[in-house]
Amino acid sequence: MKQYPFLYGAFGFLLSLNILQAQTNISKAEKKLLKSVEHNNGEAISFLEKVVNINSGTLNAKGVQAVGKVFRDAYDAIEFETSWIAMPPEMNRAGHLFAETKGKKGKKLLLIGHLDTVFEEDSPFQQFKKVNDSIAHAPGGNDMKGGNVIMLYALKALHENGMLADAQIVVAYTGDEERTGKPLSISRKALIDAAKRSDIALGFENSTGFNYATVARRGASGWELHVKGKRAHSSGIFSERTGAGAIFEMSRILNAFYEEVRGEEYLTFNPGIALGGTFLEYDQKSSKGNAFGKGNVVAQTAVVKGGLRFISEAQKESARNKMRAIVAANLPHTEAEILFTDSYPAMGPTERNMVLLSELNQVSLDLGQGEVRAYDPGKRGAADTSFVAAYLACLDGLGTMGTGAHTPEETVNLNTIEALTKRTAVLIYRLINQ
């Protein structure tokens, strides 16, 4: 995070104080919490297997709702007030599960997870399967049903020990994090409303390791490029009458993006699909398309769909303006238009996030789990914490450890769940008692 050196200074000072001070002993109350987590760990892993084996690809509304029902029953059992927030039918999204305790004591917390995964009903990767005592292949187990389970079982330990009295904790499990429903003003309204009445948000997306937590995430934006050329016999390509054609214009634009927009720290953009030819069809919903063309016909149409990642709104707008200027400088007899769609705002590495990180770091040190540092935002994707970061202090990446998220090789490390749940339980306990 080279752009934010003052944050390193603030965190370094706090961390130095933590290291210089004698480690805080785990209190008697916290020791009770740890015992509860240990006692429930086998149950937590069985719970994870159960929810992983229910397909909840974002577009499988019934599956997302089924996973939500399992979690809802579990939160009802620990006396949270639960509700299901449905989305309008035209959004083609299942909705969200919220669970809440209402009180006035300590910091007001918002805990964030998501029920959906990238693995839809037609995916061949569907089942939880242990590789050994430590590792399981699990579709969505790492991103992020494991993190959902850590949230639940940390709160269960607190409930079993009577430690949630008069605390305000809102648990939000969105049902469309992997493919956000549009408009965002509807799909993220409940989450943002919860943030506005909370002090701290903790996100339980998959962890990057015991020694890191996420204080910043890049935002995500979509872009779509439409290009038109003059259909003609290829013998006339480059002539004053025919011009360059749509595919050459598309290529010019993409190359100029690469040469002129690329290079800023944390700024990336990617053309994910490109089609060009005489005729083409592209389906927005499925992200699939077909193109028809011949080598002896100048292409008359092209389309490109891509994504843009950024660390701030200023960086996003600067990149968009550069892209618009490139698109406008058309080759002969071509025209082009670029459209942008907002998806996730950036979660900036604020000072309050760094202070919250120092509190997590102290918990980790007290538990003998080692120092926790800020993870490079350039190595993380967008997440729901980004929608609430403007309103309160945020930490993310507090979920399970594993590998291969979003791939058919996704794994979850079962041996880390107990330790990460302990860390979460103690952190929540300290925050709601401040």
Side-chain angles (χ1 to χ4, degrees):
M1 293 184 295
K2 298 170 187 174
Q3 294 179 352
Y4 303 92
F6 74 95
L7 294 177
Y8 277 120
F11 178 62
F13 174 73
L14 289 165
L15 187 57
S16 297
L17 288 179
N18 288 335
I19 293 171
L20 290 172
Q21 292 170 348
Q23 287 189 349
T24 303
N25 292 327
I26 297 296
S27 69
K28 288 183 180 180
E30 291 168 350
K31 288 177 181 177
K32 290 181 181 180
L33 272 180
L34 301 182
K35 287 182 180 179
S36 292
V37 172
E38 291 170 4
H39 180 263
N40 293 333
N41 190 58
E43 179 187 308
I45 292 173
S46 296
F47 190 100
L48 175 60
E49 181 174 2
K50 179 179 180 178
V51 293
V52 165
N53 285 336
I54 302 171
N55 178 276
S56 58
T58 309
L59 300 182
N60 178 11
K62 289 183 179 179
V64 174
Q65 290 166 355
V67 172
K69 178 65 165 57
V70 176
F71 276 99
R72 185 172 190 172
D73 290 345
Y75 278 98
D76 286 338
I78 59 172
E79 301 182 270
F80 274 66
E81 191 176 299
T82 61
S83 61
W84 184 263
I85 300 172
M87 294 293 104
E90 62 271 18
M91 287 179 62
N92 193 33
R93 295 297 184 272
H96 315 310
L97 172 65
F98 274 60
E100 183 171 358
T101 60
K102 296 179 179 179
K104 300 178 180 178
K105 180 182 176 183
K107 296 293 186 183
K108 299 174 182 178
L109 305 185
L110 170 61
L111 311 185
I112 302 174
H114 64 83
L115 303 169
D116 64 317
T117 77
V118 298
F119 302 98
E120 298 293 347
E121 288 183 279
D122 60 355
S123 168
F125 187 35
Q126 295 286 352
Q127 294 294 311
F128 181 101
K129 185 177 181 180
K130 282 190 175 182
V131 177
N132 52 46
D133 290 341
S134 303
I135 305 297
H137 281 292
N142 189 27
D143 184 11
M144 69 164 293
K145 291 178 179 178
N148 296 340
V149 170
I150 287 174
M151 293 164 60
L152 170 62
Y153 277 84
L155 293 169
K156 182 174 182 176
L158 286 154
H159 173 264
E160 288 176 347
N161 290 280
M163 297 175 180
L164 294 179
D166 204 28
Q168 178 183 302
I169 299 177
V170 180
V171 176
Y173 289 124
T174 61
D176 60 349
E177 193 272 349
E178 299 294 358
R179 296 179 67 176
T180 50
K182 303 296 188 298
L184 295 172
S185 59
I186 294 176
S187 68
R188 289 302 174 270
K189 182 180 187 304
L191 185 66
I192 292 171
D193 286 348
K196 289 179 178 178
R197 56 190 178 90
S198 302
D199 301 312
I200 289 170
L202 302 176
F204 288 82
E205 285 279 0
N206 46 309
S207 171
T208 52
F210 276 110
N211 300 117
Y212 294 100
T214 301
V215 298
R217 284 182 176 274
R218 294 188 297 167
S221 167
W223 54 271
E224 187 168 329
L225 175 67
H226 294 268
V227 182
K228 294 180 180 179
K230 185 175 181 180
R231 183 180 175 187
H233 194 283
S234 64
S235 63
I237 190 82
F238 312 139
S239 69
E240 291 184 8
R241 182 181 70 256
T242 301
I247 291 179
F248 267 123
E249 172 65 350
M250 175 186 72
S251 302
R252 175 198 70 81
I253 291 169
L254 294 179
N255 183 67
F257 286 175
Y258 183 85
E259 294 291 343
E260 300 174 31
V261 185
R262 178 178 59 96
E264 286 186 31
E265 187 179 23
Y266 301 130
L267 177 69
T268 59
F269 45 90
N270 175 60
I273 184 170
L275 296 168
T278 307
F279 305 108
L280 63 83
E281 295 177 346
Y282 179 73
D283 181 68
Q284 295 277 5
K285 185 175 178 181
S286 65
S287 296
K288 295 179 181 179
N290 297 291
F292 169 81
K294 293 183 177 181
N296 62 353
V297 178
V298 176
Q300 69 174 2
T301 185
V303 64
V304 184
K305 287 270 289 184
L308 176 71
R309 303 281 175 153
F310 48 90
I311 196 62
S312 68
E313 289 299 301
Q315 188 179 57
K316 179 189 76 174
E317 289 304 321
S318 174
R320 285 181 174 185
N321 288 335
K322 291 176 184 178
M323 294 167 83
R324 290 186 184 103
I326 289 168
V327 168
N330 304 127
L331 292 176
H333 290 291
T334 68
E335 57 184 89
E337 178 185 27
I338 190 166
L339 306 173
F340 294 98
T341 56
D342 287 323
S343 184
Y344 289 87
M347 170 182 163
T350 62
E351 291 186 75
R352 63 189 179 188
N353 293 358
M354 301 302 286
V355 171
L356 184 56
L357 175 63
S358 74
E359 298 188 63
L360 174 66
N361 177 64
Q362 188 63 57
V363 170
S364 184
L365 292 174
D366 290 346
L367 291 172
Q369 294 181 2
E371 178 187 341
V372 183
R373 300 183 293 274
Y375 194 68
D376 181 355
K379 297 179 180 179
R380 295 234 61 165
D384 277 331
T385 48
S386 299
F387 289 107
V388 303
Y391 305 102
L392 72 181
C394 294
L395 272 186
D396 206 345
L398 304 180
T400 45
M401 293 170 59
T403 60
H406 286 212
T407 77
E409 303 302 319
E410 182 171 356
T411 68
V412 58
N413 187 324
L414 304 175
N415 282 354
T416 64
I417 291 175
E418 181 180 311
L420 291 167
T421 306
K422 287 179 176 178
R423 180 187 288 183
T424 297
V426 174
L427 177 62
I428 292 173
Y429 174 77
R430 292 184 183 181
L431 291 174
I432 62 176
N433 282 284
Q434 284 184 0

